[in-house]
Amino acid sequence: MQKKQLFSLSAALMLSALSFAQTAKLQVIHNCADAAASQVDVYVNGNLTLNDFGFRKSTPFLDLPAGVNINVGIAPASSTSINDTIVSFNYNLMNGSKYVLVASGIVSTSGYSPSPAFNLEVFPMGRLTASNPANTDVLVMHGSTDAPTVDVKLPLGATLINDISYPSFTTDYLELPTADYNIQVRNSAGTDVVAEYQAPLSTLSLQGQALVVLASGFLNPANNSGGAGFGLWAALATGGDLVQLPSVATTTTRVQVIHNCADAAAATVDVWLNETLLIDNFQFRTASPFIDAPAGVSLDVTIQPANSVDTTNGLARFTFANLSASSKYILVANGTVSASGYTPVQPFNLDVFAAGQEASGNPLNTNVLVYHGATDAPTVDIVAGPTTLVNDISYAQFNTSYLQLPTADYTIAVTDASGANTVATYSAPLATLNLQGNSLVALASGFLNPANNSNGPAFGIWVALPSGGNLIQLPTVNTTPARVQVIHNCADAAAATVDIWLNNTLLLDNFNFRTSSPFIDAPSGVAFDITVQPSSSVDTTNGLARFEYTLAAGETYVLVANGTVSGTGYNPVQPFNIDVFTGAEEASGNPANTNVLVYHGATDAPTVDIVAGAATLVNDISYADFSADYLQLPTTDYVISVTDASGANIVASYSAPLATLNLQGASLVALASGFLNPGNNSNGPNFGIWVSLPAGGNLIPLPVVTSIENTTSNAALNIYPNPASDKLIISSAMLMSEKTTVTIYNSIGEIVLNQQIGSNSSTTANIEINNLATGFYTLEVVGNTSKTTSKISIIK
């Protein structure tokens, strides 16, 4: 009776539609999993159209009037008329359109969680058949009320649907070649598989057909009155019972594919897994992300030219049997496919590493797998500083396991197998690229001799990340090093002895205050870290201080460690730092000179001048400043004074015995060091001037000189004539009573005359000045118990 009634009403609807100039087609699918709606009656414009319409059933596409208002009412299966309708919906269908209506949601007031309201969800672009007779067109609707937003993917990573939520349809039909598929429902991130199903489109002979696949039922039936469990069900355009897609209980493994074949004939390829296109237009020096692949079954991988349509006559085919679900695999495409033009010829292959990683497992490390993929490169070593990272790796080999490297920026060298000769040097900026916690693959790629290999890509080191994409080239490093001297001038007792680390290599062990390293080679053209640690440190973790530098090739630097590391006990507090002077010197370049770079490193000293005689050598130098350049001083013995910034008041005077110390031709650094007021600075070392030589070692203190009284006249000393030209006469009572020495200093503090007079029978002495040039000078007379000075001028 029901079938007859349905047939009659359907016929009546068709006749009714024919009476209108405009018609549309409509398919109704029952996907409401509420037990109270397991069967419903559907009324159209007051007429019973579907009697006892059951859950997971669908109508064929029915003809309905278009361009007029249509009322669709839903009533319980026991209804006797439209008056029993519990919910109704009004539509005005468009002429010639095809509609899919899906009954979904909850009608009960309790027993379901969550409980979205019952509705008829409408898709206005339905299809009766596939747009291509070789395809099956699939519309997908998320109809599970308690299921989250999901992705739908093929097991090997291709995303069919991204982020579909209840109660959405896909924006259009998926136009799929008619084949048997395994599909996975995953979380919205695409990382976790919720469930896997078969979609046997070919087995069910669905070529040329269009269908609707619905997520149906409950993920958690216990929270939904024990209702139907979750699954994927298909509604055919012909209607009837929905077809359940079988669930699949399979295990998967994870695979990354890297294209490192430098042969131009394989610059872009397609990669097929069995008969499914896995990677389309896969380019040289790119990588897939890690993707799921079936475990425990035999897999065929076929390499084809780009834009291939099947696996027939593949460039290369490989079979992998029984991949383990507990392993992750790295597959590297390498070698040559051309019959000529490459020397040596290395047959194309997929080299496999069966212990791949997607993360390092240690957030402080970056793990690196190394692969030798340069067909014309010999066996090599990979070294970082004094450490051999990989020994004797040959073409097509992986190193035995990942290198577990603390995440830092490294300079690495590729050497011959003996380790003696460097082929090339590269920067590996793991820290700069924020690769902590990552695992990656570093590949030797390209040709050492492109001319012998069809002028192909040149040799280099390239890196594949677990996320895939374009490989990252490691920059080559200019092998001309920089030169660096490090000086320890931090007077804080907590840093009296420290370790200095270059990246993660101990550079200076137990480095003492007021010592310096010699000038040493340092990497140029790459960023590196200098870490200061307490003495006897074992690594750079939680360093006292860390600094990053990029040095220029061939440049020379002075680095001075200064400031305080303690939180209290020092006034003023000057933060610990390493101050850098670029353009340093290891020699003066003039054998008659001594060049001096001045650095103000006394944390509690004010801005000062450095003077020698009447000459200001350095003007207004403040804490942590270097002089603008080296002072180029004739090599002699000087007396220098530190004055306040006005130049009027002497803080202290020092002997600078450059000639006595045989420093002709040398360049050195003179540092203000220690504290003017040790009492305010934990009784630290006193202020002084200390000198660092290019050879390093202990700094040399300059001897303190009793302050010189600079006066233009002195009652105890008479000098005439003044100005003088060839002779000076000195008159002083001390000439009769004491052995005396007369010293004349030029305007920059050089000693230009030194004459012993001894005890004299007269209070006067003659001083020959024929050899002195026109200028201003300071004359000093020193006796056994007294000293006096005066300014003089000489005019020729």
Side-chain angles (χ1 to χ4, degrees):
M1 175 63 184
Q2 290 176 0
K3 290 183 179 179
K4 180 179 179 182
Q5 186 178 37
L6 177 59
F7 175 80
S8 299
L9 289 171
S10 298
L13 284 169
M14 292 176 65
L15 292 171
S16 174
L18 290 173
S19 66
F20 287 86
Q22 298 179 333
T23 61
K25 288 186 177 294
L26 176 71
Q27 180 177 44
V28 182
I29 303 172
H30 186 341
N31 194 45
C32 172
D34 187 336
S38 61
Q39 288 187 328
V40 295
D41 292 344
V42 180
Y43 290 84
V44 177
N45 286 342
N47 296 313
L48 181 61
T49 305
L50 301 174
N51 187 45
D52 294 344
F53 187 40
F55 174 53
R56 289 177 176 162
K57 293 183 181 291
S58 68
T59 70
F61 277 88
L62 305 173
D63 288 314
L64 291 177
V68 297
N69 291 330
I70 295 174
N71 177 267
V72 176
I74 307 299
S78 58
S79 70
T80 58
S81 72
I82 193 174
N83 295 328
D84 297 324
T85 297
I86 56 174
V87 62
S88 64
F89 306 89
N90 292 312
Y91 302 102
N92 193 309
L93 306 182
M94 184 178 295
N95 182 45
S97 293
K98 301 175 183 66
Y99 295 84
V100 174
L101 269 64
V102 179
S104 198
I106 304 298
V107 296
S108 299
T109 57
S110 63
Y112 294 86
S113 179
S115 55
F118 179 88
N119 197 20
L120 291 181
E121 307 297 340
V122 181
F123 184 81
M125 298 179 291
R127 297 183 185 179
L128 294 175
T129 61
S131 57
N132 182 334
N135 288 350
T136 304
D137 293 355
V138 180
L139 177 68
V140 178
M141 188 261 181
H142 186 319
S144 176
T145 56
D146 69 340
T149 299
V150 295
D151 291 351
V152 179
K153 292 194 173 189
L154 297 176
L156 297 167
T159 300
L160 299 176
I161 305 167
N162 187 54
D163 290 350
I164 188 169
S165 304
Y166 175 83
S168 298
F169 293 90
T170 48
T171 55
D172 206 345
Y173 283 76
L174 305 173
E175 299 180 356
L176 304 176
T178 303
D180 291 343
Y181 295 89
N182 276 21
I183 59 173
Q184 293 174 339
V185 179
R186 299 193 179 201
N187 64 349
S188 59
T191 56
D192 298 330
V193 177
V194 177
E196 188 168 345
Y197 299 90
Q198 292 180 4
L201 307 183
S202 178
T203 298
L204 295 177
S205 300
L206 294 176
Q207 58 270 21
Q209 296 198 43
L211 51 92
V212 181
V213 172
L214 306 102
S216 178
F218 302 109
L219 278 182
N220 191 341
N223 285 352
N224 290 277
S225 300
F230 180 90
L232 298 186
W233 295 71
L236 304 182
T238 54
D241 292 335
L242 303 192
V243 178
Q244 185 174 12
L245 300 189
S247 61
V248 177
T250 61
T251 57
T252 59
T253 187
R254 299 281 283 168
V255 174
Q256 181 176 45
V257 184
I258 303 172
H259 186 340
N260 195 49
C261 171
D263 187 334
T268 304
V269 297
D270 291 345
V271 180
W272 292 75
L273 181 66
N274 294 335
E275 298 299 319
T276 300
L277 182 60
L278 178 63
I279 307 173
D280 190 25
N281 294 332
F282 191 34
Q283 295 182 352
F284 173 57
R285 287 177 177 162
T286 62
S288 76
F290 274 89
I291 55 179
D292 288 332
V297 297
S298 181
L299 300 176
D300 281 337
V301 175
T302 305
I303 308 299
Q304 286 283 48
N307 303 310
S308 61
V309 296
D310 57 34
T311 64
T312 304
N313 298 321
L315 286 176
R317 187 185 297 269
F318 306 91
T319 298
F320 300 97
N322 298 323
L323 299 184
S324 171
S326 61
S327 296
K328 299 174 190 270
Y329 294 86
I330 307 284
L331 275 62
V332 180
N334 221 77
T336 53
V337 297
S338 299
S340 62
Y342 294 88
T343 301
V345 173
Q346 298 284 8
F348 182 87
N349 197 23
L350 285 180
D351 295 317
V352 180
F353 184 81
Q357 298 179 358
E358 295 187 62
S360 71
N362 182 338
L364 300 178
N365 283 358
T366 304
N367 291 0
V368 181
L369 178 67
V370 177
Y371 173 79
H372 186 323
T375 57
D376 66 341
T379 299
V380 296
D381 292 350
I382 309 294
V383 301
T387 304
T388 298
L389 301 177
V390 182
N391 187 54
D392 290 353
I393 189 170
S394 301
Y395 173 71
Q397 288 183 342
F398 296 90
N399 58 314
T400 54
S401 61
Y402 282 77
L403 305 172
Q404 300 181 24
L405 303 177
T407 302
D409 292 342
Y410 295 86
T411 298
I412 61 171
V414 179
T415 75
D416 61 14
S418 72
N421 301 304
T422 298
V423 177
T425 305
Y426 300 89
S427 169
L430 306 184
T432 298
L433 295 176
N434 297 315
L435 292 175
Q436 56 274 17
N438 275 273
S439 286
L440 49 89
V441 183
L443 305 99
S445 177
F447 302 110
L448 279 182
N449 190 342
N452 284 353
N453 291 276
S454 299
N455 294 316
F459 180 91
I461 305 295
W462 295 70
V463 171
L465 301 181
S467 55
N470 293 326
L471 304 191
I472 299 168
Q473 184 175 15
L474 297 189
T476 56
V477 175
N478 187 330
T479 54
T480 302
R483 297 280 288 168
V484 173
Q485 180 178 50
V486 184
I487 303 173
H488 185 341
N489 195 48
C490 171
D492 187 335
T497 303
V498 295
D499 292 344
I500 307 292
W501 292 76
L502 177 67
N503 290 335
N504 287 287
T505 301
L506 184 60
L507 179 65
L508 300 171
D509 189 25
N510 295 331
F511 189 38
N512 292 321
F513 174 56
R514 286 177 176 161
T515 61
S516 65
S517 74
F519 278 90
I520 56 176
D521 287 340
S524 63
V526 295
F528 65 89
D529 285 338
I530 291 283
T531 303
V532 180
Q533 284 284 47
S535 61
S536 303
S537 61
V538 295
D539 57 33
T540 62
T541 304
N542 300 320
L544 288 176
R546 187 185 296 268
F547 306 90
E548 183 178 286
Y549 303 99
T550 301
L551 306 182
E555 186 58 88
T556 305
Y557 299 84
V558 168
L559 277 63
V560 181
N562 221 71
T564 54
V565 296
S566 300
T568 59
Y570 294 88
N571 185 25
V573 173
Q574 297 284 9
F576 182 87
N577 197 23
I578 295 182
D579 296 315
V580 180
F581 183 83
T582 303
E585 298 178 355
E586 297 186 58
S588 71
N590 182 339
N593 283 357
T594 304
N595 291 359
V596 180
L597 178 68
V598 179
Y599 172 78
H600 186 323
T603 57
D604 65 341
T607 298
V608 297
D609 291 351
I610 309 295
V611 301
T616 299
L617 303 179
V618 182
N619 186 54
D620 290 351
I621 188 170
S622 300
Y623 172 70
D625 285 346
F626 292 92
S627 52
D629 205 344
Y630 282 76
L631 307 172
Q632 299 182 23
L633 304 176
T635 303
T636 188
D637 293 341
Y638 296 85
V639 172
I640 62 170
S641 296
V642 179
T643 76
D644 61 14
S646 71
N649 300 305
I650 295 175
V651 177
S653 296
Y654 299 89
S655 172
L658 305 184
T660 299
L661 295 176
N662 296 314
L663 291 174
Q664 55 274 16
S667 286
L668 51 89
V669 183
L671 304 98
S673 178
F675 302 109
L676 280 181
N677 190 342
N680 285 351
N681 291 277
S682 299
N683 296 314
N686 286 317
F687 179 91
I689 304 295
W690 295 69
V691 171
S692 172
L693 301 181
N698 294 323
L699 303 192
I700 301 169
L702 296 188
V704 177
V705 174
T706 304
S707 297
I708 296 174
E709 180 184 3
N710 289 313
T711 57
T712 56
S713 64
N714 191 313
L717 177 67
N718 290 313
I719 302 168
Y720 57 90
N722 190 9
S725 58
D726 57 357
K727 181 185 292 186
L728 280 172
I729 299 173
I730 300 173
S731 174
S732 176
M734 74 172 69
L735 296 178
M736 292 186 65
S737 60
E738 302 178 30
K739 292 182 178 181
T740 55
T741 301
V742 176
T743 305
I744 298 177
Y745 298 90
N746 67 13
S747 62
I748 62 171
E750 292 179 300
I751 298 172
V752 295
L753 184 147
N754 188 269
Q755 182 175 329
Q756 300 290 328
I757 296 179
S759 297
N760 201 350
S761 59
S762 172
T763 60
T764 63
N766 294 328
I767 307 298
E768 298 293 335
I769 56 173
N770 287 324
N771 294 331
L772 300 185
T774 297
F776 293 96
Y777 295 84
T778 300
L779 183 144
E780 176 186 76
V781 180
V782 179
N784 294 336
T785 60
S786 59
K787 177 173 67 174
T788 187
T789 64
S790 182
K791 300 292 185 183
I792 63 172
S793 62
I794 296 175
I795 300 176
K796 296 294 187 181

